[in-house]
Amino acid sequence: MSKRDRQIGTIVEVHGPVVVIACERLPALRQALSAAFDHEEYIFEVHQHLDETHVRAVTLHRTSGLRRGMPVYDTGAPLHVPVTEHCLGRLVNVFGQPLDGGASLEDTEYRNIHSLPAPLSEAVGISGILETGIKVIDLLCPFVRGGKTGLFGGAGVGKTVLIMEFMHAVISLHQGVSVFAGVGERIREGHELWMELKRAEVMEKSLLVFGQMDESPGVRFRVGLTALTYAEYLRDRLHKEVLFLVDNIFRFVQAGSEISSLLGRMPATVGYQPTLGTEVAEIEERILSTRQGAVTSVQAVYVPADDMTDPAVSTILSHLDTTVILSRAIAAQGLYPAVDPLRSGSKMMDRHFLGDRHYTIAEGVREHLARYAELQDVIAMLGLEELSPEDRQIVHRARRLQRYLTQPFHVTAQFTGIPGASVPLEKTLNDCEAFLNGEYDDLSEDDCYMRGTMSE
């Protein structure tokens, strides 16, 4: 059947990225439609049925060149992307088309980006800790295999470096693969990430999917689903540990808010779309593990005005198992990774999940760091000598623990000149237990800084 035979209607209105199409027959919601102008194809996604003959759709391209009266064709399916085992090592867009200058993905099948989550009968629950080799994460806010982790941090506190180290850990420690969704990424950030992954030699086991900041809100709204479709395919086909990274999940919410306003919906709390909860759940509930393999997610989350009660942040938080908060104050002290050990945590931080030893040591470390934080004002005003002997001992041990929880990363080794270190959880527990018992009280703080295990 030729394209002309599949004509479904014509454009009658253009409002920025939203178009109104007069149709001979109504296409289904989320159906992909297309139009062509000057050898360029435009893809639309149907979002509303206005009446018996008109639909409102969102353009997944720039809208320059669109005009009233243009013929629109039915693609016969919702938006789908080519999937193949050879997608690893590639950089693609929301349609699965290459952005790295390489050949198109060939010998492929296609998958609908709106596929349903795996059936409950196929899903498996969380199955223990996913070790990252990063001491502060594994000890105080452990990743859950098959769970979701939120990474909260502003610009310049090491968020991208931490994401790259997670990718390196999953690939090297667990022989897994990574899928990165750049939702509303700056072109500079995307290019830097691509180059750094190549330099760190982990790009061959990674797939990057970008919907950049300058693209249509429809692209930024759907690129996360495209990346998730690839993650599901790799989980089902390769039966491996898949790390699914999103930077930034908040920009997905922003794109949904833009589209909601353009479609004429009445805004809800703080101006967000009324469908906020449904849209976040649609992407979050597909991130799960099955008998075929596991998908573990790390999502960078921007916090507007540092308000954790913001409706978008609260909605995303309700789906997360682990919260990792990066602190600018800690980064300013030169303590990297700049994880705030007192504000970060996991829902799985209990004795039954972690075991008595891990839980007891983690709580002991937290108690020392919390007491040190309480005493900092007293130390600043009166000096360390005015503290009781017990408090002085806690402060000394807390400062050593702070420096011990810093770590050189594999992906930064060429910049710092310090070889990267990956520390097994058992060795982290042994070292922290020794710190708490006073075995390293005679060491200087510098001897604890930026190293792997204390036995080194």
Side-chain angles (χ1 to χ4, degrees):
M1 184 184 291
S2 70
K3 226 179 185 185
R4 183 66 57 189
D5 294 331
R6 290 187 279 121
Q7 181 172 341
I8 195 171
T10 56
I11 295 176
V12 294
E13 292 181 30
V14 181
H15 301 280
V18 172
V19 297
V20 177
I21 303 169
C23 300
E24 300 162 7
R25 64 183 188 285
L26 285 182
L29 291 176
R30 295 185 173 176
Q31 185 85 337
L33 310 178
S34 70
F37 172 74
D38 196 21
H39 306 294
E40 184 174 347
E41 185 179 31
Y42 296 85
I43 302 293
F44 312 101
E45 187 178 58
V46 178
H47 276 256
Q48 279 183 342
H49 288 172
L50 298 178
D51 55 34
E52 294 89 344
T53 57
H54 291 83
V55 299
R56 192 174 273 149
V58 173
T59 315
L60 301 182
H61 294 269
R62 289 186 176 89
T63 52
S64 56
L66 289 182
R67 55 179 171 74
R68 294 173 65 186
M70 281 182 71
V72 177
Y73 306 96
D74 188 0
T75 65
L79 186 62
H80 54 276
V81 293
V83 290
T84 169
E85 295 176 25
H86 306 297
C87 63
L88 292 173
R90 301 301 302 273
L91 174 64
V92 299
N93 64 10
V94 67
F95 307 108
Q97 298 164 344
L99 295 174
D100 53 11
S104 299
L105 301 177
E106 295 178 353
D107 301 325
T108 59
E109 58 181 280
Y110 284 84
R111 279 200 175 193
N112 179 1
I113 69 166
H114 297 293
S115 56
L116 295 172
L120 280 176
S121 57
E122 292 292 320
V124 296
I126 55 176
S127 53
I129 291 175
L130 180 72
E131 286 193 35
T132 63
I134 302 170
K135 293 179 287 189
V136 66
I137 300 276
D138 290 344
L139 177 70
L140 299 176
C141 41
F143 281 15
V144 181
R145 186 174 187 269
K148 307 179 189 78
T149 297
L151 192 61
F152 298 80
V157 293
K159 186 168 81 269
T160 301
V161 171
L162 201 52
I163 282 176
M164 287 166 55
E165 191 69 10
F166 293 151
M167 295 171 82
H168 185 278
V170 164
I171 291 165
S172 59
L173 297 180
H174 304 280
Q175 286 72 53
V177 296
S178 297
V179 178
F180 180 90
V183 182
E185 280 282 280
R186 299 175 185 87
I187 290 176
R188 173 188 58 79
E189 290 177 339
H191 185 266
E192 285 176 2
L193 177 66
W194 183 33
M195 290 295 108
E196 293 299 334
L197 292 179
K198 281 185 171 181
R199 208 172 285 130
E201 299 180 351
V202 296
M203 188 63 207
E204 289 182 2
K205 293 291 185 182
S206 306
L207 168 67
L208 307 185
V209 186
F210 281 126
Q212 294 158 352
M213 191 176 275
D214 64 330
E215 296 193 69
S216 158
V219 169
R220 288 179 274 122
F221 190 53
R222 293 306 187 205
V223 69
L225 293 181
T226 295
L228 186 51
T229 302
Y230 280 109
E232 290 171 336
Y233 173 81
L234 293 171
R235 174 196 68 194
D236 299 339
R237 181 58 58 93
L238 300 184
H239 312 303
K240 283 193 173 183
E241 192 80 48
V242 179
L243 181 65
F244 177 61
L245 304 113
V246 187
D247 187 8
N248 191 302
I249 192 73
F250 182 80
R251 293 191 191 125
F252 161 77
V253 173
Q254 283 184 313
S257 181
E258 280 184 58
I259 288 172
S260 182
S261 299
L262 290 164
L263 294 175
R265 296 192 190 117
M266 185 72 72
T269 315
V270 199
Y272 288 112
Q273 60 270 42
T275 52
L276 172 65
T278 306
E279 289 169 2
V280 172
E282 184 179 359
I283 191 168
E284 296 285 2
E285 292 305 302
R286 280 176 60 183
I287 303 172
L288 50 78
S289 302
T290 67
R291 298 188 184 98
Q292 306 294 329
V295 176
T296 303
S297 174
V298 179
Q299 304 166 21
V301 187
Y302 169 70
V303 183
D306 292 332
D307 179 15
M308 295 293 284
T309 63
D310 182 87
V313 176
S314 299
T315 303
I316 295 165
L317 265 172
S318 66
H319 293 275
L320 301 178
D321 302 301
T322 301
T323 305
V324 179
I325 297 178
L326 301 179
S327 163
R328 195 171 300 282
I330 292 175
Q333 298 174 48
L335 302 176
Y336 288 100
V339 176
D340 189 327
L342 301 179
R343 296 171 63 206
S344 304
S346 172
K347 290 180 180 176
M348 301 303 161
M349 283 294 290
D350 63 55
R351 292 184 187 275
H352 301 293
F353 187 77
L354 298 180
D356 279 338
R357 183 165 183 258
H358 185 165
Y359 180 82
T360 302
I361 293 170
E363 287 304 297
V365 170
R366 264 212 184 88
E367 285 170 14
H368 276 65
L369 295 175
R371 182 61 180 158
Y372 175 42
E374 289 171 5
L375 293 170
Q376 278 183 331
D377 286 343
V378 176
I379 295 169
M381 289 185 290
L382 304 176
L384 191 62
E385 296 74 19
E386 297 302 315
L387 299 179
S388 67
E390 294 82 5
D391 281 342
R392 274 204 303 273
Q393 185 184 69
I394 286 174
V395 168
H396 285 307
R397 289 178 183 173
R399 286 180 62 84
R400 285 167 175 76
L401 280 166
Q402 263 189 342
R403 280 146 185 78
Y404 171 72
L405 293 177
T406 62
Q407 186 170 339
F409 284 163
H410 295 279
V411 295
T412 59
Q414 61 182 336
F415 303 111
T416 62
I418 307 172
S422 182
V423 183
L425 175 59
E426 188 61 31
K427 290 190 176 181
T428 301
L429 294 177
N430 291 340
D431 286 344
C432 289
E433 190 172 42
F435 275 109
L436 296 174
N437 292 336
E439 294 177 27
Y440 295 126
D441 284 357
D442 296 333
L443 282 180
S444 70
E445 293 176 6
D446 288 343
D447 289 333
C448 307
Y449 179 68
M450 276 293 168
R451 61 188 304 155
T453 61
M454 293 305 293
S455 59
E456 295 174 7

